[in-house]
Amino acid sequence: MRWTRAALLASTLSILVTTACGAGPSDRPAVAVEHPHQGGVGPSTAPADTAPPAPEVPKVELQWKDCTAPTFNLLSLGAPPQGLVLECAEYPAQIDTGGNVAGMFKNAVVRARYDRTPKDAAPLILTSGSDRSSTATLAGLAAGPASALLAARPIIAVDRRGIGSSVPVSCMTDPQRRILADQAQFTRGTTDPVDAMANAGREATVACLDFLAPGQGMYDAPHAAADIEQLRKQLQVEHLALLGSGTGANVALNYARMYGPHLARLILDSPQAIGLDANGRAEQRVRGQEAALTAWAQRCASLNCSLGPDPRATVIDLTNRAAAGQLPDLSAAAFVTTLNGYLGDSRTQGNQQITEFADALTALGKGDRGPITPFVLRAAAAIATDGQFVNRCTDNHEPSTPDRAKERETTWATQYPIFGKVAAIDLMACSAWPAASPMALPDKLNLPVLVMGGSADPVTGQDGRPTVTGALGTAGARTATVVWQGWGHPTVAHSGCAQQALADYLKDAKLPADGTACPA
């Protein structure tokens, strides 16, 4: 069915009204790059500019409704911490503030706080971009040791369009969705994997562009930033505090470019490297994934987990068996997605969760897929939805080519034995989507900015921070970097040290010592 403009808007408005609030050519950076910060560097002695304004308490509250239990149940987070409150609401927003597509929709948000959180505390706005829903990121953060942060102020998560608690995008057929998820492993026959994935991505692109027309261009990071601006207006505040994690940092940087005078605080957690093409961005992610898996495996071995003395070698073996079709119905791509979903989960991965996942992998190796199935389903729902395909492809500037993907399929399979080959083939998923322009950066930003990241980040990789601080410095911003020495994503969800640095910065805009290292 081809969607007309009227049909799209009517359907979108109908769904929004009735939906309940529920749970290239070069790899070189094209921007200024700062050298990596060194731990122990003292606070900056450079003269500070005029102190930034403080974030403000909303003058108008949204119609919040408690959704703690449904959200925790939906995300399989167990029992919520004592006193934690999650609340859902909606607010009206324009489909396109530029006026190219008329109409309004209701955007969904989720607020986390404790019952003891001061009612006169200004909220922190959170976006995790297209990596996973902001709702899931916030819920995972709230389920962990974040009581000090949430006890001081509420956090409001704003999902990108088509992801999480926002109106879902369902633009593919089940067969199309399955072929894309499996990289056509079970249907490509003798066709080259990269060519088969290019065909699958082309069919998915045609289906989704057809479904979304004429609003197919409204799912990019600038529109996500405009949705946050419309929330600011709805709350009737002049200045807000904004945290962007992962690709949500791109949304936050777009907000700084478009609406910079309304920023009181800006935090970029595990930002994606600036100035890379699709090949470079993918390799950054793969490096972070391999590092995170290695760190997890070391922890697993120290716990005498069921994978034995070398868990990483066992995972490599399972990856190879999946690629050879020896794990019935579980493709290499689905297996790697499951690993990515687990490693990049914002919830705390304690000893019990580590051994539980290890036990599921051990059972899989013995032919029992039952224990791994919940992890497979959870990862697919968290990071591989139609909405995420649309958002990621819409933001995909300088896409790869089949020839370059084939080169990397060979080299990455050796360099990165768990994640490399799947990542190279996946370069073709968005290759047919109209290529986006490179992200425009703020040209003026008189604001101290806190940049955080981990040494083994499985979502964006660990090498993006210098390009980001370089770009911010070019715009006039002062920056400080906090580096967590553990594995996982985002940093603020896993490190109490990073949370304290964030809390102090939110309070008085004071940046920590540049290059602060937080232990794992």
Side-chain angles (χ1 to χ4, degrees):
M1 173 180 179
R2 185 169 186 86
W3 285 64
T4 64
R5 172 173 173 151
L8 173 72
L9 295 177
S11 174
T12 300
L13 292 173
S14 174
I15 293 173
L16 283 163
V17 169
T18 59
T19 299
C21 179
S26 173
D27 294 342
R28 294 176 300 169
V31 298
V33 178
E34 284 193 353
H35 294 295
H37 299 292
Q38 300 298 317
V41 178
S44 172
T45 57
D49 297 320
T50 303
E56 299 157 14
V57 180
K59 295 182 179 65
V60 174
E61 284 286 6
L62 305 181
Q63 296 298 310
W64 299 105
K65 296 181 180 180
D66 186 281
C67 58
T68 312
T71 302
F72 266 63
N73 290 337
L74 179 66
L75 298 173
S76 302
L77 290 172
Q82 185 67 33
L84 177 68
V85 180
L86 296 185
E87 298 162 299
C88 296
E90 296 174 333
Y91 68 94
Q94 290 178 262
I95 293 175
D96 179 31
T97 56
N100 295 313
V101 176
M104 302 288 292
F105 71 100
K106 289 188 176 181
N107 208 28
V109 291
V110 175
R111 180 173 70 179
R113 61 179 177 85
Y114 275 91
D115 52 12
R116 62 185 182 275
T117 303
K119 296 185 182 300
D120 60 350
L124 170 64
I125 310 301
L126 165 68
T127 172
S128 52
S130 59
D131 301 315
R132 62 177 59 242
S133 75
S134 301
T135 296
T137 299
L138 177 57
L141 169 65
S147 57
L149 185 60
L150 283 172
R153 67 183 67 245
I155 302 178
I156 299 176
V158 185
D159 281 327
R160 282 188 65 158
R161 301 178 184 190
I163 298 176
S165 58
S166 65
V167 176
V169 169
S170 182
C171 54
M172 302 182 211
T173 64
D174 285 340
Q176 287 173 327
R177 196 174 291 117
R178 183 67 180 175
I179 290 173
L180 199 66
D182 290 334
Q183 296 186 335
Q185 178 176 329
F186 304 123
T187 58
R188 62 188 179 222
T190 59
T191 304
D192 181 89
V194 170
D195 293 334
M197 189 60 175
N199 290 333
R202 186 179 304 109
E203 291 186 7
T205 293
V206 170
C208 290
L209 291 178
D210 188 42
F211 177 86
L212 296 171
Q216 62 265 46
M218 310 301 153
Y219 288 80
D220 57 7
H223 281 85
D227 291 345
I228 293 174
E229 171 65 2
Q230 292 180 84
L231 173 62
R232 182 195 67 80
K233 292 179 178 179
Q234 184 69 28
L235 298 176
Q236 293 187 17
V237 297
E238 281 299 312
H239 305 97
L240 51 77
L242 179 60
L243 165 60
S245 67
T247 58
N250 294 345
V251 177
L253 287 169
N254 271 281
Y255 189 92
R257 175 179 62 85
M258 299 160 66
Y259 312 106
H262 293 296
L263 276 175
R265 307 285 188 271
L266 177 61
I267 309 98
L268 306 177
D269 187 338
S270 312
Q272 190 178 62
I274 293 172
L276 296 182
D277 64 4
N279 305 292
R281 295 191 300 272
E283 187 165 15
Q284 297 278 41
R285 286 193 300 273
V286 169
R287 287 174 177 167
Q289 290 160 354
E290 294 279 346
L293 195 281
T294 298
W296 173 85
Q298 291 170 346
R299 179 79 173 276
C300 191
S302 72
L303 296 171
N304 295 316
C305 69
S306 60
L307 290 174
D310 192 350
R312 178 178 169 83
T314 302
V315 175
I316 292 174
D317 178 65
L318 287 171
T319 305
N320 293 335
R321 290 171 61 185
Q326 297 173 3
L327 301 179
D329 298 327
L330 188 62
S331 66
F335 180 67
V336 166
T337 297
T338 302
L339 295 176
N340 288 337
Y342 172 80
L343 294 171
D345 200 320
S346 60
R347 74 190 79 192
T348 300
Q349 303 291 1
N351 292 348
Q352 180 180 347
Q353 289 75 26
I354 289 172
T355 56
E356 180 186 13
F357 190 57
D359 290 345
L361 293 175
T362 298
L364 178 64
K366 295 178 179 179
D368 180 5
R369 184 176 165 177
I372 199 69
T373 297
F375 292 97
V376 174
L377 297 176
R378 186 183 303 160
I383 65 176
T385 66
D386 291 11
Q388 280 156 327
F389 172 79
V390 169
N391 278 274
R392 290 167 182 164
C393 290
T394 305
D395 285 339
N396 187 42
H397 63 86
E398 294 188 80
S400 188
T401 64
D403 287 344
R404 301 196 79 194
K406 290 174 183 178
E407 291 173 2
R408 282 155 177 77
E409 182 190 5
T410 300
T411 58
W412 289 0
T414 301
Q415 287 180 272
Y416 315 112
I418 299 172
F419 299 94
K421 186 172 183 177
V422 167
I425 297 171
D426 203 53
L427 286 167
M428 291 294 95
C430 294
S431 59
W433 198 278
S437 300
M439 187 176 76
L441 297 168
D443 56 8
K444 184 178 181 181
L445 187 63
N446 184 23
L447 188 73
V449 181
L450 179 59
V451 182
M452 301 188 292
S455 60
D457 188 288
V459 174
T460 55
Q462 66 268 47
D463 302 318
R465 295 182 301 273
T467 65
V468 174
T469 54
L472 290 170
T474 299
R478 292 179 291 116
T479 64
T481 301
V482 173
V483 181
W484 176 48
Q485 297 171 334
W487 62 271
H489 178 89
T491 294
V492 71
H494 298 285
S495 170
C497 164
Q499 290 176 15
Q500 188 60 57
L502 172 57
D504 293 344
Y505 168 71
L506 289 171
K507 183 178 179 180
D508 57 14
K510 181 180 178 181
L511 291 171
D514 192 20
T516 294
C518 289

